[in-house]
Amino acid sequence: MNTSDVTKEGIRGARPGREAVTGADSALGGQRRERPADDGGGRGSEFGTYYDRPVLNRITWRPRDIAGYLFLGGLAGASSALAAGADLTGRPGLARPLRYTALAAVTGSLAALVNDLGRPDRFLHMLRVMKWTSPMSVGTWILVCYGPLAGAAAASQATGVLPGAGRLAGLGAGAVGPAVSAYTAPLICNTAVPAWHEGYREMPFVFVGSGAAAAGGMGMITAPVGQAGPARRAGAAGAAVENAALAVMERRMGMVAEPYRTGRSGTLMRAAKALTIGGAVGALAGRRSRAVSAIAGAALIAGSACTRFGVFAAGQASVADPRYTVVPQRRRLRDREQAAQQEE
Amino acid sequence: MGFFTDTSVCIGCKACEVACKEWNLVPEDGLDFTAMSFDNSGGLGADTWRHVAFIEQRAPIGVQETGVGRPEGAPDPVDLGMPSFEPPGASADGDATGEFRWLMSSDVCKHCTHAACLDVCPTGSLFRTEYGTVVVQEDICNGCGYCVPACPYGVIGQREDDGRVFKCTLCYDRLGAGMEPACAKACPTDSIQFGDLDELRERADERLRGLHEAGVGSAQLYGRDPGDGVGGDGAFFLLLDEPEVYGLPPDPVVTTRDLPSMWRHAAVAAGALLAGITATFLGRRR
């Protein structure tokens, strides 16, 4: 402990060194001059930085694993929902491949998630607790519910064993699937990363739209055109929702949205837009042609993947530049000070 | 319990960095100078739990004053040829001459009252101790890395060869033995003060008052207010410039403050997906 005590009369027994006064104006003969506006040391008019070093620490997640996980999770969840509908409305040619897709995608997403852990052998530590404050914890439990259902549905489909139970599992997976697609938005938005956190209102809609576009695209590739109507509609509507939500998100974010337009993340987002819109047009225009449907479906899937990788890269870019951290916070402080002054 | 770091008396000796590494057996992570200042640890991370920042400014209060006023009729300060971006004498417009100040500040984990890292940890390996501090339980951490982007201060980091995350523990082991943390023990100027937070806040207020009375108008407390975005820091600071100049976020907010709203938006989106997929099956069969 420190040797000094805080008493009613002030601090007792402090070392004299602590009383040192830095740059007291007594030393300058009382002549306090104005500060220079800019000394070149990273002190701009809007904000200062510490040698332009990032405020936040670099995101340690590997893009292939985590952006891939976001993409596969969205694909799996929406595929299960689409497969359940296809099953209920007597479209076996659409339900079968989508059930397989859901199992493959959820397996891949789990593999990516575990692979990204610093200690993969400790994955099960996730199951020690259930925390609402941690979307990763909630998501782990969602996947624990969803994975076996999707697996049972696909296994029963492939082997013909217990068809009733398989259908039931498929319906269950269809009901839980949307949660798998949507929860990944809070997963990334519940961070200090400016380009993610500031978009937390729209990100869930970007992600479910993107998931629906990917699942619809998969249905268009794998199902005969006579049965793929819902997949075409889901793909086109998903692409529309995704792009609309992104537009709203970028407008609301202001300067923090820059990474979505510039650099590698900007390139990915532009590619995603071109692919999803092209795929949506192809889905609606080419509904009589298997070949056009397959090409449009592939474009929708690729667009969905580009969206996830683009959002991930934008987050990384917004961490790397201290501007995106400091400027919005500085403005917030200034607004609060002005509001306080007006109240006086 | 917590820290009050009074940067106005920090002399940049890095004793805290060394003491911390020694006591906590933090591995060496390179001794490369950043080529911008005498800072050779860069910033906080898995292997840097105390980081001394060095800021060189041409500011008109550059007399490093030890409480002794300059005698009457003494000559003006001279240019010491301090590091600058232009050749010596280039900016000799009189105003900038000799006006130089060097800010040093020992940065550390803030042990937030509302700690984002603790909130988002999916294994429960980050926990709140009986001292009110935030500590990683290393045998539980599975290296998911979620806490790293969650921290609004950029404190916690992942050790590459190990996979787990590490940060300052406020010397949890030493506190248990009734000792103060290694950095506070090693600090030669009492810039780092350890103690009960209420007492430290009183101390800090008194120090701030003293500095303002002496005419150091730029002095400000950072992280002292329990009403701020993270509910007040367990390790707060007295700074002589704006926080961002030290590499600190000016108005950090714990990310989980918006989480209820995030869950609501996600639930609506999931419902919309279910409804939308259902809608694709309506109408005539095509």
Side-chain angles (χ1 to χ4, degrees), chain A residues 18-242:
Chain A
R18 220 157 52 193
E19 303 304 315
V21 176
T22 306
D25 58 355
S26 62
L28 295 167
Q31 300 168 357
R32 296 209 37 129
R33 277 161 293 175
E34 288 304 304
R35 233 204 176 126
D38 192 339
D39 64 352
R43 170 192 288 290
S45 55
E46 172 93 69
F47 77 115
T49 64
Y50 183 63
Y51 300 105
D52 287 326
R53 297 179 77 88
V55 172
L56 303 172
N57 274 346
R58 195 180 57 84
I59 301 166
T60 51
W61 293 333
R62 287 186 287 267
R64 193 197 55 198
D65 282 337
I66 296 302
Y69 166 76
L70 299 176
F71 163 68
L72 290 172
L75 172 63
S79 293
S80 282
L82 210 50
D87 184 37
L88 288 173
T89 55
R91 292 182 170 88
L94 179 61
R96 190 182 326 111
L98 284 177
R99 280 177 180 160
Y100 295 155
T101 300
L103 176 60
V106 75
T107 307
S109 71
L110 260 175
L113 187 64
V114 175
N115 182 48
D116 196 62
L117 294 176
R119 292 283 178 109
D121 54 322
R122 291 187 177 174
F123 167 73
L124 292 179
H125 285 197
M126 296 267 197
L127 306 181
R128 293 173 72 244
V129 287
M130 159 86 216
K131 282 169 78 175
W132 284 108
T133 56
S134 171
M136 195 179 279
S137 171
V138 173
T140 304
W141 289 105
I142 291 176
L143 286 173
V144 164
C145 294
Y146 169 82
L149 290 172
S156 159
Q157 178 85 62
T159 58
V161 177
L162 296 174
R167 281 195 70 184
L168 211 57
L171 294 179
V176 183
V180 177
S181 292
Y183 101 86
T184 46
L187 176 75
I188 64 163
C189 293
N190 190 39
T191 57
V193 177
W196 293 345
H197 185 101
E198 300 309 314
Y200 72 85
R201 297 174 189 84
E202 295 84 8
M203 200 70 85
F205 297 94
V206 176
F207 278 16
V208 297
S210 178
M218 191 54 97
M220 286 156 58
I221 293 175
T222 52
V225 284
Q227 296 185 27
R232 286 194 292 271
R233 289 189 280 276
V241 168
E242 175 195 330

Side-chain angles (χ1 to χ4, degrees), chain A residues 309-335:
Chain A
F309 278 82
V311 168
F312 191 85
Q316 288 181 305
S318 75
V319 165
D321 190 339
R323 241 168 10 114
Y324 302 120
T325 311
V326 172
V327 173
Q329 295 189 14
R330 183 44 63 195
R331 285 181 185 160
R332 202 161 60 206
L333 267 180
R334 210 178 42 214
D335 293 347

